[in-house]
Amino acid sequence: MTVRGDFKEPARPRPELVIGREELFAGAREQLSGGGSVLVHGPAGIGKSTVLRALAAEYAESARTVLRCSATESESHLPFLALADLLGLVVDEIADRLPAPQRTALESALTGRGESTLQRDGLALRLAVLSAFRALAARGPVLIVADDLQWLDPASAELLGFAARRLGGTPVRMLCAVRTETEPQAQDHDRFLRASVPETLALRLAPLARAQVAELLAQRGYTGLPRSTVRDIHRTSGGNPLFALELGRALAESPTRPSPGEPLPVPTSLRALVLSRLDMLSAEARRTLLVASAGARPTLALLHAAGRENAEAETASAAALGLLATERDAPGIRFAHPLVSAALYAEADAQERRAAHSALSRAASDPIERARHLALATIGTDPAVAARLGEAAAAARDRGAPSVAVGLGLLAARHTPADTRPSSDERRLQAAEDALTAGETDLARDIARQVLARAITPAERVRAWMVVVDSAGQAMAEIDAVFPQALADAGDDPGLVALVRYQLGWRALLMDGEMTKAREEAARAARLAARAGDRRTELLALGFQAQMETLMGHPDAPSTIQRAMREPQDPRVACDHNGAGAARFRWLIMGDRLAEARTAITALLREVQRRGMVESELHFLRGLAETELRSGHCGRALDLARESLRLARDTGIGEAATAMFTSLAEAAGGDVDRALALAHEAVDRAEEDGDMVYLSRALGALGHAELVAGDASAAVRSLRRVRELEEALGVIDPARGRWHGDLAEALVRIGETAEAQDVIDVTRRRALRLERESVLAVLDRAEALVRAARGEQGPAERQLASAQDRLGKLGYGLEEARAAYALAGLRTLPTAPGVRAGGTALPGPTAYDEAARLFRRCRALPWLRQVESAAALPPAAPPLAPAALDSLAATERQVAALVMEGATNREIAGRLFISVKTVEATLTRVYRKLGIRSRVDIVRLAAERRPD
């Protein structure tokens, strides 16, 4: 009897995945579906029981018998308790199949009668448990679900292990969970693995990422938490789901939220869990640990400098109790878990904390750390302390640590006396702007709103309004009422009005889709800022104006970029994603200067990463990924795109735009289904935000993914919308979205060659005027397909060969490979036996070799799979007469007719009340009977059947 043959896939869909465990579930599912067993392990609170319940719910229906046990520490001394949980309810069903001595020993152990023990009845009991499992398996598959193996009573653990090691070849799966130490390198699960079914898969649950912690908190109802607070929860919990939820609950129940830099409230339940051994330390050792918990990077040297003379012995005793992690040759002191440090700090009273910070303010060598500790040791306002904190915030900003600058700036505001300069609100606004730089947009917005609630000076109010606008990102519809209030506060001050006009330019673009108006507002803001001597705002406005002119194909774009690049420069604007450097990059990449574009964007990315400018980093990661994708480096582009998506998810910034571009990268070098999902997400988000600019880009990505997926009809629908949107937006330059070739190709596939030619002609005129060589080459590739569909085989091949050569010389590797693929497709479509149009001989089986080589060089896996599939098919027969369709069976004709209408396989299945698999099988028969190879050939036949 083989295991694999006895177990079936679950009869119902898998329940919703536990957050952040998708990869683990995939591994467990593959193992369990093949009849194997799984051991899930990890530290307390990491989610083992949750994962176990989800997997058990999914696979219980595929087993005839499900045996369960869940041990507890308080019951681990009771012998045979876990065995009774497992077999107590089923022993009567199989008792008559056990030999009498085994039956007697097992019943005695399960009922407690007869005082059975392993010492007295060891062999009989071991064999009885093994026989019981085999008897149950003889009737059908058995699933054993055992949680908290570490608390199994020793007798049950021994018996279960004995049986498990001998169950090879029987349809018995074990799904178990066991608590192991926090350290990943610990191998505590090994002894449990050795007591499991042979070849059990051990899966360690890792901590959750920050975005996953945010999703978990939201799922449990702890919504509305600022991202900075979620960041603190993630850091303090160490990604442990139980700890994160407890911290979230404590915050939800707290009447006041901690300010940035302040410790989170640690609930009593967690303090008791992680500090259970604290009472075993001396009072002095506890004080030493408190000082360590208050420090950012505690070391023995720092503790000595802070007056803890016996730090070595006291930290050694804490390490022996498991409160500190022991690391050889490591100068730092690391707590066993971040929550231990947080709980220690929370346990101390205010006076003890101030004493610890006071000691550290004298001991710390870093001026930023000294200033922070001095502030936390000081009560009330103090101008000297506020000044030192302001200097520390500036130093943190210069070091590229804007999130640190936020906390220091807010501390400075708290210690700033009234009627001093800078005022407490000015310090808060600087902290809000630092929060924007750090990607903490919700924190920035909250600070700005606090300032607006009390500020009366126009400069502070307008500055606060600008933070509110910037924190909204693409969702400007949510803050539309801000603009008239900001203009009213700005009055006649040209510098303040320039700030508002600059943002009104963005509003015109994102909400109204009016590039001309956006350009005019940007130019107006630049003039006002220049009059006010505000070079920073002038540079931002000029950079925005240059971007609009580039997208519009305006002839002034190069000169505007040059104006924005002139001295004097503001270093932060120079590398800002809305600055002149970014505008120049866009101009380079749209002008086919890929090498220069890569150099420019790499330098920008390096600088913003050094400065900690998160939103700009996100933009430039996407820009570098785009450059690599244009160059045909699909693997590198995909890595960069996925990195940018992780950053976008983590910060909540630019998720729609990043999903859009990652969709393009996935369609080129990753997974097409993932590309479709991301493109749909981008479209939904853009529509929700009312963002017309990114809606057109998102639809372009969706259309491209649909084309790669083989759904030409859907691609046409999406890309037609892009065409309409861009005409309304005033986008003239076809190098902006580069969707035109895809639309033309998709139109050819569904037989709309006239519309395809119109798209090509209109786009070519614009591309010629703007000298967009790569766009012209792609249009030639698409036009060759139009000509081939009209029967102009020879000219089509020559045009494709020329397009391929030009794209290769321009450095567009993926587009070059697509041209080679199209050319190979044409060369396998003969017009007469042994002869191709133009009189040349037919190619051999290597027709697709060049395309495969180019796609492989690009690491364009979705395209490579298409090539390999096409190369595996026999060469297409000469074009068929339309009457050939009459030879098909009734169902085959119905399916073919719907294909001619442009229906997808899923749409066909729904209309004919058959499964998608049946549609696919029917199409395969249609291809074979007609001697064709794809849906495109059916569409061609449909075109030929149309009356003149």
Side-chain angles (χ1 to χ4, degrees), residues 505-536:
W506 281 103
R507 182 197 178 280
L509 175 67
L510 297 177
M511 289 188 61
D512 301 332
E514 296 183 13
M515 286 192 176
T516 301
K517 184 178 179 181
R519 175 182 176 270
E520 291 170 354
E521 289 285 12
R524 185 177 179 184
R527 291 193 298 270
L528 286 166
R531 198 170 85 196
D534 181 358
R535 181 62 172 161
R536 180 180 185 278

Side-chain angles (χ1 to χ4, degrees), residues 91-117:
V91 67
D92 291 340
E93 301 175 22
I94 45 88
D96 58 345
R97 301 189 185 184
L98 305 182
Q102 295 180 21
R103 183 169 61 250
T104 301
L106 183 58
E107 289 175 348
S108 177
L110 295 180
T111 62
R113 295 190 298 269
E115 298 182 356
S116 178
T117 66

Side-chain angles (χ1 to χ4, degrees), residues 251-537:
L251 281 169
E253 295 173 355
S254 175
T256 57
R257 299 275 172 85
S259 299
E262 291 184 348
L264 296 177
V266 181
T268 304
S269 59
L270 289 185
R271 295 189 203 180
L273 178 63
V274 300
L275 299 180
S276 57
R277 286 161 285 189
L278 192 62
D279 291 338
M280 300 174 69
L281 287 175
S282 67
E284 288 301 310
R286 289 184 64 157
R287 291 190 186 97
T288 296
L289 287 189
L290 174 60
V291 174
S293 71
R297 292 174 296 277
T299 63
L300 286 173
L302 179 66
L303 293 177
H304 280 301
R308 308 312 302 168
E309 297 177 357
N310 299 317
E312 286 91 345
E314 289 161 353
T315 55
S317 62
L321 291 171
L323 295 168
L324 296 178
T326 55
E327 294 181 347
R328 292 182 179 180
D329 304 323
I333 293 172
R334 187 167 66 85
F335 285 90
H337 191 279
L339 192 61
V340 176
S341 174
L344 270 166
Y345 193 88
E347 280 281 294
D349 60 34
Q351 185 175 351
E352 289 174 322
R353 293 180 193 173
R354 285 196 297 272
H357 286 296
S358 179
L360 287 168
S361 70
R362 297 185 296 271
S365 59
D366 185 85
I368 293 177
E369 277 299 293
R370 286 201 303 272
R372 186 178 76 87
H373 289 302
L374 178 62
L376 294 172
T378 303
I379 301 175
T381 61
D382 186 318
V385 172
R388 285 186 61 179
L389 285 164
E391 293 168 1
R397 201 174 301 121
D398 291 341
R399 290 184 188 179
S403 59
V404 174
V406 174
L408 293 167
L410 292 176
L411 283 172
R414 185 190 306 173
H415 289 286
T416 299
D419 302 323
T420 59
R421 284 288 178 270
S423 68
S424 59
D425 279 343
E426 286 178 288
R427 294 193 189 279
R428 288 189 182 91
L429 285 170
Q430 180 60 66
E433 290 164 358
D434 287 332
L436 284 175
T437 301
E440 298 177 5
T441 53
D442 50 357
L443 175 60
R445 181 187 60 247
D446 291 345
I447 296 171
R449 292 287 187 187
Q450 292 170 16
V451 171
L452 285 166
R454 56 178 173 266
I456 56 174
T457 63
E460 288 180 355
R461 291 189 61 80
V462 171
R463 189 175 170 191
W465 284 127
M466 295 305 95
V467 171
V468 172
V469 172
D470 280 332
S471 65
Q474 309 294 118
M476 280 205 166
E478 298 176 4
I479 46 92
D480 199 29
V482 162
F483 293 102
Q485 298 177 65
L487 277 174
D489 284 330
D492 297 327
D493 186 310
L496 298 180
V497 175
L499 286 170
V500 183
R501 286 293 168 192
Y502 170 68
Q503 295 290 5
L504 281 170
W506 281 103
R507 182 197 178 280
L509 175 67
L510 297 177
M511 289 188 61
D512 301 332
E514 296 183 13
M515 286 192 176
T516 301
K517 184 178 179 181
R519 175 182 176 270
E520 291 170 354
E521 289 285 12
R524 185 177 179 184
R527 291 193 298 270
L528 286 166
R531 198 170 85 196
D534 181 358
R535 181 62 172 161
R536 180 180 185 278
T537 302

